[in-house]
Amino acid sequence: MPFSFFHLLCYITIIFAEVDAVNEGASKSKSKLRLFVFGDSYVDTGNWRKSIGSSWKEPYGITFPGKPSGRFSDGRVLTDYIASYLGIRTPIAYKWRKEVKRSKEYGMNFAYGGTGVLDTLANQPNMTTQIDFFQRLVEQKVYGKQDLDNSVGLISVAGNDYATYLARNTHNLQKLGDFTKKIMDQLEINIDRIRGLGVKRIAVTLIEPMGCIPLQAASSSYSNCTQALNLGSKFHNQMLNQSLQNLNAKDNSTVFITLDLYDAFFSALNKFTTHAPAGSLGLKPCCEGKEMGKYYCGSVDESGAKLYTICENPNLSFFWDTLHPSQNGWHSIFSSLRSSLHKLTT
């Protein structure tokens, strides 16, 4: 594909977005904010073991930092952009806390890709266990009162809970509402527990339009979202908004805020659809297995030959693989969320 004006515009947009995000948060850095992250692959920056995590295999990290870094994308993920906005470096992944000097300086990331509020198909620490890790550090005085008084929490979770439900119930949506209530009961306990440990402002993402994830859209050749699943996302988000309102009302506070991934996904997708292949609505991922359901992005055979395909320019794709946005996708999502981020520090 020849280099076009649109390609140039994409690169310039990314560069200025990074500068803007850093400058926007620079004035906040003097407060020594700490960012504590909980959840799944949308915010995980390297907690999976290298020996088993697909996020540590090529071609993940091809855009940033140029090699696999444990992120489930070709580059940066939501955590990186939120940290940049706050004027701090991305907090270290919990798994690497003992390997990095001054690892506690910017907070810590407890998120594990594939996990949820409840147990999922991924055999990794769920949200409750992630909070246990955080509580242990607080009890050990790794983080003191001053650290916690200047802290922000970021939570992105629940997509894998629904994926597990659908896998175990052969796509039976009839009792999905009851399952949402089960998720919400535990999620409310979890986020209130984070507040109880001293985090002063906590942002919880509304769930993305699950029916637009490439894994779901593949059956229509990426031409349509699954509307039944999007309705499930809306129901989840309505319940989550109500739960957060109830928690804030307990002590007449504004500790809990939402980051609207649902609308941000659609806003970003609309931008990418203009330059997407005809009929794909921007849903086609950049990296995918040569046989859907059998191979995945990063799959190789016994001789190391690639069993996946990758697009020529990840910057032109909203989705990196069948589940996760690309770095440029996350940048577009961040741009949509930017207007609500001031609530994290006010």
Side-chain angles (χ1 to χ4, degrees):
M1 180 185 296
F3 192 85
S4 67
F5 174 75
F6 177 65
H7 289 73
L8 177 63
L9 184 61
C10 280
Y11 288 126
I12 291 174
T13 300
I14 294 170
I15 291 171
F16 277 95
E18 297 296 334
V19 172
D20 287 346
V22 172
N23 288 342
E24 200 167 352
S27 62
K28 305 177 183 67
S29 60
K30 293 181 180 179
S31 64
K32 297 181 180 178
L33 285 172
R34 304 289 194 273
L35 176 62
F36 298 108
V37 185
F38 307 86
D40 54 28
S41 54
Y42 279 8
V43 289
D44 183 1
T45 54
N47 272 315
W48 271 72
R49 293 206 316 270
K50 287 186 177 182
S51 59
I52 60 174
S54 62
S55 57
W56 288 104
K57 298 177 181 178
E58 295 181 348
Y60 288 83
I62 192 173
T63 301
F64 171 85
K67 61 181 180 180
S69 66
R71 291 168 172 81
F72 290 82
S73 183
D74 64 307
R76 295 172 178 85
V77 296
L78 183 59
T79 299
D80 299 296
Y81 286 107
I82 298 298
S84 181
Y85 175 86
L86 295 174
I88 61 175
R89 293 183 179 180
T90 299
I92 196 71
Y94 175 75
K95 178 177 175 55
W96 302 103
R97 68 195 184 283
K98 296 181 180 179
E99 311 296 327
V100 179
K101 292 182 179 179
R102 302 173 68 181
S103 62
K104 75 164 195 171
E105 188 170 0
Y106 305 106
M108 196 160 292
N109 190 334
F110 302 93
Y112 282 77
T115 65
V117 178
L118 310 172
D119 288 336
T120 65
L121 299 176
N123 186 24
Q124 298 294 321
N126 65 16
M127 187 181 180
T128 299
T129 304
Q130 293 172 25
I131 300 171
D132 290 341
F133 295 156
F134 176 48
Q135 180 173 343
R136 195 174 306 151
L137 295 181
V138 172
E139 291 173 346
Q140 293 171 349
K141 308 298 183 183
V142 173
Y143 293 103
K145 185 177 185 303
Q146 184 175 358
D147 298 319
L148 297 170
D149 283 345
N150 292 288
S151 64
V152 172
L154 173 63
I155 298 170
S156 173
V157 73
N160 294 308
D161 291 292
Y162 289 106
T164 299
Y165 172 87
L166 294 173
R168 290 174 175 169
N169 294 275
T170 60
H171 291 72
N172 181 359
L173 301 180
Q174 293 181 352
K175 296 184 178 180
L176 192 61
D178 292 336
F179 184 67
T180 297
K181 293 174 184 177
K182 182 179 180 180
I183 290 175
M184 215 55 58
D185 287 344
Q186 185 60 49
L187 181 56
E188 190 168 327
I189 292 171
N190 286 351
I191 58 181
D192 198 29
R193 186 177 162 206
I194 294 172
R195 171 169 62 175
L197 289 168
V199 178
K200 297 306 180 184
R201 187 60 55 92
I202 301 169
V204 186
T205 62
L206 299 184
I207 202 167
E208 71 281 0
M210 294 184 289
C212 296
I213 299 301
L215 189 64
Q216 300 296 335
S219 60
S220 67
S221 299
Y222 308 112
S223 62
N224 291 296
C225 298
T226 303
Q227 294 306 318
L229 288 178
N230 284 352
L231 289 174
S233 292
K234 287 183 176 181
F235 181 65
H236 172 97
N237 292 336
Q238 289 171 357
M239 291 199 67
L240 178 55
N241 274 318
Q242 187 60 57
S243 291
L244 296 182
Q245 289 175 19
N246 293 341
L247 287 171
N248 280 330
K250 276 187 176 181
D251 53 7
N252 195 28
S253 71
T254 55
V255 172
F256 301 103
I257 67 169
T258 59
L259 299 181
D260 192 348
L261 281 193
Y262 189 92
D263 284 350
F265 261 64
F266 274 120
S267 176
L269 278 168
N270 285 336
K271 297 176 185 177
F272 281 84
T273 298
T274 305
H275 306 280
S280 74
L281 300 181
L283 302 177
K284 183 175 175 58
C286 173
C287 184
E288 58 183 330
K290 291 183 176 180
E291 292 185 41
M292 178 64 70
K294 185 175 182 181
Y295 303 122
Y296 306 91
C297 180
S299 293
V300 296
D301 64 17
E302 294 179 356
S303 64
K306 297 176 181 178
L307 297 173
Y308 62 91
T309 60
I310 186 170
C311 65
E312 185 175 344
N313 187 352
N315 291 322
L316 304 183
S317 296
F318 176 76
F319 282 107
W320 164 244
D321 61 17
T322 56
L323 293 171
H324 308 100
S326 65
Q327 172 174 287
N328 207 14
W330 277 121
H331 161 250
S332 295
I333 291 167
F334 168 75
S335 296
S336 296
L337 296 174
R338 192 193 302 256
S339 62
S340 63
L341 294 178
H342 69 278
K343 298 176 185 178
L344 290 174
T345 55
T346 58

